[in-house]
Structure formats: structure tokens, C-alpha cells
Amino acid sequence: MKRRTTAFMVVMMVSFLFAGFLFAGGDKEAAAGEVKEAPTTVRIAMTQDVTTWNPWARNTYQSNSIRLHFYETLIEIGDDLSNQPCLATEWEANDDGTVWTFYLRKGVKFHNGNDFNADDVIFSFDKCLETALAWADAMATVKSYRKVDDYTVEVTCNQPDVIFPKMIRNVIIVDKESFPAAGLEQFETKVVGTGKYVLDEYIKDDRVVGSRWEGYWGEKPEFEKIIFRTITNEGTRTASIISEEIDFMPFVAVRDAEMLKNLKGITIVQSEGIEPSMFAITQVDVDNPSPGSAIPMVSPDGKNPLRLRDVREAIVRAIDAEEFVNTILAGYGSVSATVIPKGFNGYNPNIEKYPYDPQKAAELLDGAGYPIQKSGELEGYRFAITLDCHERTAAEAIAIASYLNKVGIKCTPNPLPSSVVWGYVRMYEKYASHFVFSTWGDASAESVIVAKDVIYGVYFDKRKKEGWGGANRGYYQNDEVDALIEKALATVDYDERDAIMQKVWQIVHDEVGNFSIYKANNIFAVRDNFIFTPRLDQYVMAWNLTAAK
């Protein structure tokens, strides 16, 4: 209780006093001549819990970051997004990319002392597919796999997949012998990996504690102990780093960054990142596309107005992206017209955001058959929709909603906590969302992987192709786009694949299949006794922190 009380008191003081004066002298400086010992523990504040210890069930930056301290995969994502050997030392494909062979690292031990071998890989693939969530989609093109010998695994794809290694590097490997029982629930209570740290303690929604694995096969991390603290409240996280209860804080709110950068003892670090905003609009021709919504859609004709392309374009034109970046983000970001970051294969430099033009937006809405209502439930509005999002982006969602309200679209922001949001916006199960605001990043640097997840066609009540379109929350459908995505996955030549995917994203832009408004910079706060180097994939790894000399 002592730590939480301290943080609460700091939050209260920040609320009533000018932060620059209050904390300018608050840093605990070493006395003259005193030599500070290098820290052996790093304490990291996260905005959400790991959410699940099932290694294959959740794909979020924070869950992935935490789990990858304890588990490993065949291929590691390098700081520059490259493929790096991990539990596999080498891999190769046949001529058309339908068969991949992985040669496994010898001499690796799990945290319980068991030897790592091909049986563990086969078991982990089985369980990933059985989980049928999140990372199961990484194996969407897999037809079969087999153990060749104790240190060789062969995977056969049901179609050419030239970038398969960039998918399989997301599938965590566990110790087969530690999980003899049937069922997936056992993975929630037992963590047995080969990672750099061993799990010592887990208190749900509070902390994850790990100690350095001295039997690790590779270079051991600098810090003997890591502590991930779950602190969902922005003000409490900020107070915690000021009061030295934590050492490092990712996902810093813009307003807090502006204050923290003026304090002694704390450094603000920015990185451009690879996670543009993404707005998914349910465009199916269904009268009520979200019957499970807590705040239902209301339309004067009883139909889904988002099904119409001009309505979707009007929504984009109603938002002043430049003003948004300069005011809501305080310049910590940039305008984005596509969900694909610059530098990715398939990034299309010719795509430009539909210009901010509220008058044109109003004309498009009028022409689509949704004028301002003169009476009734929607008086003063055209129709009513709900913008579902993570509570971390509540301020952004409120701003987006205000722009839409100005052109007559009654938009209610619905920020949801980490423990609820991804289940709430899940496709098929609840049909609770018709307008979803999130961010989307992928460490592959291949836009075809993003496309396979977020725009490959799905039906309203089921997937069109198992393992494809798992995050197509707008239910976008275009057979030409689907064929191009499949073609790109079979195209070995980088430039040819790039051209195919540029065409894909142009089509999606022209149809307003989904859209992006901005790409926020990643903002980190770190105490001065540490040095932090950001990764391009935005994961938060303890080994990207070093003790300041």
C-alpha cells in the first residue's frame, strides 16, 4: 500500500501545482564524491497486464513484450525488424516457397532443465493451432509439418509462402514435457520457456517478476531482475516515475511528456515507430451490423450508412488531420494516409489522405441520402454511430468524434479498458462494434502480412478462408484484392511483390476500405541512471535498457 499511496499523493500534487516548479529540484542527486552502484534491477511500468499466459492467444505489443522475456521463438525479430537466428540457427525453402526446413539450435535448455528439441516445436505448433486465436493466423498457409530428426523440422505450406519465416517467428515454443495434460488452460498457470528470464512471480493486474536465467544458451542480459508493473492510470504511471518507484515507462501520454521533459533525472525518448492509426468501418449491407453494441447505431432509414463508400469518404474528409497532430498529439506524430508505414514492402507513396473538407463531407452525406434530420430521435444529426477504442486513446477518440459531430454525424466515443476492449471488438462473437479505432503495427516490414490480417475478405458471419482476415473488423470484401494478396505471398522477387501490394493499398484507399489519420510517435520516459534504445517493432525489452555509466 505504501507505494500506491505515494503515487496517489504525487498525482494530487500534479493536479494542483505547476509541475515544473514542483519537481524541478525533486531529483535525488548523489552527494559530492558519492559513487552510485549500477542498478541490477529494472522496473518497467506497463499500461496493461500480460492478459494471458497462453503464448499464442493474444497479439498486443505489451503482452508480446512481457512474454518474450520468458519464452522464445524459432526466429527472433531483430531491433531493425530483420530475421535473426534464435531457437533455429538456419532455415531454407524449396524453389517455390512451399516447403521450409528449420535447423534447430543444439544445447538449449528450458528453465526446468529439459533439453529443447524438435518434439517441442511440433507440440508448440499443435497447441498454437488448437488455440485458434491471434498467432494461429501466423500458420494460416501451413498444410503440414513433421519432425525430420531431433534438430530438424520441415513445414509444408498449402501454397507458396515466400515470407513464411516472418510469420513463424511469432509462434512461441514451449516445453512439451511440462504440459502432459490435455486442454489449453494449463498454459495460464505454468510458464516454461527458454527465454533470458525465469518467471518468479505473477500477480494479476499488478506485477510480473523475473530473474535472469543463468542457464541461458546465449548472451545473458545485463539486469539480474526485471519487474513489470501494471499501472493502467496515466497519472499514476507518471507519478511513479517521478517518485522513482519505476525506472522506465513506455506509452507516455503527450501531456505528461511535455511536463516530464522539463524535470531533472528523467529523459524523454521518442521513436517514429511502425504503428499508424487504423479505423475499421463495418461496411456490410446489413441493417444492424452491431446488435451487441452498448451504444447502438441509429439510422433514419434503418440501414447501415457505413455500407456506402461516399459516407466513408465523408468521415475521412471531416477530420482535420494536421490540426489533430498539432493539438491532440502536440506534434508528437505525423499525418498518415495509409496503415502501412514508410519503408515497408508495399508502401505506396502516391496515396494521399482525402483532404480535410467539411463542406465536401456534408455534400457527400447529403448525396448518399443522409441529410440532417429535422425532427425525431436524430434531430440535428444525420445518423448516430459509436467509435470503440482502447482507453489509452480516449483523448484521440473524443477529438475524432467532435470532428464528425460538426458535419452532422452523431459519434459517441466508447473507450474500453484493456481487460475488455479486444474481446468487445472481436469479430463474429458479439457483433458489438461497427466503427473501431485502433493502431496496427507489424514487425515483418511486409505489408502483405498486414493485408492478410486486416483486409483479406471475410463474410459477416464467418471467415472466407481459415486463418485469413482475422482482424478485418470492417468486413471489407474485394475479390481482386484477395487474389493480389495471395499472389504477393507467392512472389519471391521483392520489387514485384512491392508493386503488387502498392496496387492493393491503392484499391483499399480508393474504396475507403479502412483508413488512417495519423501515426503517433512512441514516447518513453526513462530515469537518468538508465539509457534506452528504442526498437523499430516497438516491443519493450529489458535488454534495450542499459545502466548509465
Side-chain angles (χ1 to χ4, degrees), residues 99-102 122 144-148 152-156:
V99 180
W100 287 89
T101 304
F102 297 87
I122 299 300
S144 63
Y145 42 87
R146 69 185 183 94
K147 170 185 173 180
V148 178
T152 310
V153 171
E154 182 183 271
V155 179
T156 300

Side-chain angles (χ1 to χ4, degrees), residues 504-516:
V504 164
W505 295 112
Q506 186 66 60
I507 293 171
V508 173
H509 174 75
D510 293 345
E511 295 184 339
V512 201
N514 62 23
F515 69 93
S516 182

Side-chain angles (χ1 to χ4, degrees), residues 39-42 44 53 65-72 109-111 191-200 208-216 219-228 541-545:
T40 59
T41 298
V42 60
I44 300 171
W53 282 106
S65 295
I66 294 172
R67 285 195 299 259
L68 286 173
H69 284 76
F70 308 101
Y71 289 116
E72 290 183 306
K109 289 188 178 295
F110 286 97
H111 297 156
V191 176
V192 185
T194 61
K196 294 180 174 71
Y197 287 90
V198 179
L199 182 63
D200 293 333
V208 175
V209 181
S211 59
R212 185 169 60 198
W213 170 225
E214 298 302 337
Y216 185 63
E219 182 180 353
K220 296 180 181 63
E222 177 178 353
F223 302 109
E224 296 174 8
K225 190 174 184 178
I226 53 169
I227 301 173
F228 290 100
M541 301 301 192
W543 43 91
N544 291 112
L545 286 153

Side-chain angles (χ1 to χ4, degrees), residues 275-458:
E275 195 177 31
S277 61
M278 183 175 73
F279 293 81
I281 312 174
T282 300
Q283 49 214 263
V284 292
D285 192 4
V286 175
D287 288 352
N288 185 1
S290 56
S293 175
I295 311 171
M297 172 186 287
V298 181
S299 172
D301 60 2
K303 295 184 178 296
N304 172 19
L306 305 179
R307 75 193 189 282
L308 302 176
R309 184 212 166 278
D310 282 357
V311 170
R312 300 195 298 273
E313 180 182 334
I315 288 173
V316 185
R317 287 184 177 274
I319 301 167
D320 189 340
E322 290 189 5
E323 180 183 70
F324 180 96
V325 169
N326 291 330
T327 56
I328 305 302
L329 302 184
Y332 288 94
S334 57
V335 173
S336 173
T338 171
V339 300
I340 302 305
K342 187 176 182 180
F344 270 46
N345 180 283
Y347 169 77
N348 189 333
N350 299 315
I351 292 177
E352 297 181 358
K353 180 187 173 299
Y354 291 99
Y356 170 60
D357 190 340
Q359 182 176 342
K360 176 66 174 178
E363 292 172 358
L364 287 167
L365 292 166
D366 287 340
Y370 289 98
I372 298 289
Q373 299 300 296
K374 304 299 184 183
S375 61
E377 180 182 3
L378 287 168
E379 184 175 1
Y381 294 99
R382 303 170 187 276
F383 53 83
I385 56 176
T386 304
L387 180 55
D388 298 315
C389 68
H390 192 290
E391 62 184 357
R392 183 162 63 90
T393 54
E396 290 91 327
I398 291 169
I400 296 296
S402 70
Y403 283 119
L404 299 186
N405 274 270
K406 290 176 183 177
V407 297
I409 299 173
K410 185 177 183 181
C411 182
T412 303
N414 184 34
L416 298 162
S418 301
S419 59
V420 174
V421 61
W422 303 118
Y424 186 85
V425 302
R426 186 173 294 160
M427 299 161 62
Y428 313 126
E429 295 183 9
K430 294 182 179 179
Y431 297 100
S433 297
H434 52 259
F435 190 20
V436 181
F437 165 37
S438 65
T439 54
W440 190 270
D442 187 279
S444 66
E446 290 278 355
S447 75
V448 67
I449 293 179
V450 180
K452 188 174 78 68
D453 285 338
V454 305
I455 58 169
Y456 191 88
V458 293

Side-chain angles (χ1 to χ4, degrees), residues 42-55:
V42 60
R43 302 162 300 172
I44 300 171
M46 301 295 260
T47 67
Q48 67 181 46
D49 186 45
V50 68
T51 67
T52 174
W53 282 106
N54 180 320

